[in-house]
């Protein structure tokens, strides 16, 4: 099949390159035997190839500490894919990919490893024809990020020559505070240019999250009402039913605010709050998103006390669904102060959003697995129906269901048939799966593909990572100074501590808990 060649053309705009395979390249994965690689990255490569978006010249170099041959690594992946991509594991698709996967064991902190990586890349390049393009994926614990990149530079692994590109994807968490994120940015930039760094937030790989841009800017009817004149409040909920699982060691130092709010929830907030960019070019989109984070009203220490709520789950009180308290989970301090739930009230201080509260919440062990954004519109300005016996009606609510039942719904008032004037709320629903069917996706396909094509639109720029941390910094400071005294303060399987409901009740509002 004749295909357009990404490398030979000026950098295509995202829409121009849809449907064309990505540049030939070697994907070098640090942490290739870890969870992310087997659950997401290898299945995503299969899905990309199925869609015709990977070339024959692709090669994968798996890097991890265990001593293993390439054959043993392929066998191990085959076994993993029986769980994570069961439909593909016995297919030609997997055979195609497996023969392109190679393995190199080594200690990521040892200087000896890097010349060996350079050697393997040279061999793969000459056998596969990947044209010198290399995408390094740092799928390791975060304390390796700086150490790995420090070594890539002096070994010539990040040098771009003769049109070949070298890029580095950095997984989250990107730092664990404003200062550490700045330090990491500075350290990476000693070796790499900003154009070579792709900071990932997997929420931006979700179709429905990308659809927020299309929904807002490809439709003429929403933009005129997308402001303080028509919108009463915005609620962003990322609810999980799972607990901390086997990640106690990491989570103890992270907590929900660092783990979810500073990245995923702020990405959603910026897509909802941003001004229309002047084009769909990466920098135009990222500039506008960045302005939203910079316009978030900083919280004073007093406001941290009144506008933020933290919680930690206790054991379940539902006999049919028993589950442990957070403090009883593996690798968690039995007296832990780490929060597994956060609710915040934030404001965006600009012309469009002044005085519109943005309520954010996220938590583990909540009653539903649900990510959605509910936009509640103001009620009609005058009460035309006051003499008809209709007391009050519910406001219009637009809900963007991001997962797991992806779709969009809009509620509005309708007259209930009959001679007496009565109204009720009805919904217009759009459901992704019903309309477009389901295509297998891990959420990493677009991100890998975009990076291989050099499109950073869906990746975080240094400034926006730092801006995100600067918003949560005052909260972290106050929380650290005042350790929680009532943890655990919500039972597993409930919607978080009572204070989260009070936060909205004080404004005469309630969380939209909706059907699970
Ligand atoms: C990760 C967090 O970034 O996102 C996890 O570290 C969380 O704690 C996960 O469970 C949620 O992602 P998703 O795609 O399942 O909503």
């Amino acid at each position: 099949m004749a295909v357009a060649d990404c490398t030979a053309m000026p950098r295509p705009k995202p829409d121009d390159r849809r449907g064309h395979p990505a540049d030939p390249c070697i994907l070098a994965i640090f942490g290739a035997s870890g969870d992310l690689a087997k659950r997401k990255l290898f299945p995503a490569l299969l899905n990309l190839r199925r869609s015709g978006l990977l070339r024959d010249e692709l090669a994968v170099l798996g890097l991890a500490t265990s001593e293993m041959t390439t054959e043993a690594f392929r066998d191990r992946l085959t076994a993993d894919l029986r769980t994570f991509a069961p439909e593909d594991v016995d297919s030609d698709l997997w055979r195609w990919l497996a023969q392109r996967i190679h393995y190199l064991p080594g200690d990521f902190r040892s200087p000896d490893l890097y010349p060996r990586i350079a050697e393997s890349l040279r061999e793969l390049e000459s056998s596969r024809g990947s044209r010198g393009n290399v995408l390094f994926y740092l799928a390791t614990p975060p304390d390796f990020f700086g150490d790995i990149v420090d070594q890539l530079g002096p070994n010539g692994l990040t040098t771009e020559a003769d049109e070949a590109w070298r890029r580095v994807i950095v997984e989250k968490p990107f730092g664990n505070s404003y200062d550490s994120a700045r330090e990491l940015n500075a350290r990476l930039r000693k070796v790499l240019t900003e154009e070579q760094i792709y900071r990932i937030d997997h929420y931006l790989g979700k179709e429905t999250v990308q659809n927020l841009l299309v929904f807002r800017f490809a439709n003429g009817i929403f933009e005129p009402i997308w402001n303080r004149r028509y919108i009463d409040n915005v609620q962003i909920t990322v609810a999980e039913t799972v607990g901390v699982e086997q990640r106690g060691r990491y989570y103890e130092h992270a907590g929900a605010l660092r783990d979810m709010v500073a990245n995923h929830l702020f990405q959603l907030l910026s897509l909802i709050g941003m001004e229309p960019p002047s084009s769909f070019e990466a920098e135009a989109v990222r500039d506008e998103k960045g302005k939203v984070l910079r316009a978030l009203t900083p919280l004073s220490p007093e406001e941290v006390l009144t506008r933020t709520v933290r919680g930690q789950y206790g054991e379940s009180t539902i006999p049919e669904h028993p589950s442990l308290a957070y403090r009883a989970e593996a690798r968690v301090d039995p007296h832990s102060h780490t929060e597994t739930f956060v609710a915040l009230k934030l404001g965006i201080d600009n012309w469009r959003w002044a005085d519109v509260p943005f309520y954010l919440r996220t938590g583990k062990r909540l009653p539903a697995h649900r990510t959605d954004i509910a936009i509640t519109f103001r009620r009609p300005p005058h009460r035309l129906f006051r003499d008809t016996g209709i007391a009050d009606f519910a406001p219009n609510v637009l809900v963007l269901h991001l997962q797991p039942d992806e779709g969009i719904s809009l509620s509005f008032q309708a007259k209930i048939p009959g001679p007496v004037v009565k109204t009720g709320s009805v919904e217009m629903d759009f459901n992704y799966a019903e309309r477009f069917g389901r295509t297998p996706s891990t959420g990493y396909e677009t991100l890998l593909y975009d990076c291989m094509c050099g499109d950073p639109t869906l990746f975080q720029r240094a400034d926006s990572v730092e801006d995100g941390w600067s918003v949560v910094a005052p909260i972290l400071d106050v929380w650290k100074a005042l350790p929680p005294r009532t943890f655990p303060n919500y039972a597993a399987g409930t919607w978080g501590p009572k204070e989260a409901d009070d936060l909205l009740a004080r404004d005469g509002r309630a969380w939209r808990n909706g059907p699970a």
Side-chain angles (χ1 to χ4, degrees), residues 40 171-173 201-203 206 238-240 242-245 247 250-251 259-260 263-264 364 369 371 403 442 444:
K40 305 286 183 183
E171 258 298 328
K172 77 165 270 258
D201 181 317
H202 79 278
Y203 264 56
K206 295 181 192 284
V238 181
E240 297 185 274
V242 290
V244 71
E245 299 176 294
R247 300 164 71 222
Y250 153 76
Y251 201 83
D259 186 46
M260 298 293 287
N263 37 66
H264 307 326
K364 294 205 182 278
H369 171 217
T371 298
Q403 62 182 18
T442 66
Y444 279 73

Side-chain angles (χ1 to χ4, degrees), residues 5-9 11 23-26 121 125 129-136 156-168 192-193 195-196 198 451-454:
D5 182 338
C6 277
T7 49
M9 295 189 290
R11 179 64 53 223
D23 292 357
C25 69
I26 302 171
L121 293 178
E125 189 185 321
S130 50
R131 302 195 205 161
N133 299 328
V134 182
L135 171 53
F136 295 100
L157 295 169
T158 54
T159 312
E160 299 185 318
D162 303 330
E163 305 264 303
W165 52 254
R166 298 287 163 118
R167 297 177 189 140
V168 178
L192 302 160
T193 62
E195 289 67 38
Q196 291 178 290
Y198 287 70
C451 190
M452 289 174 184
C453 284

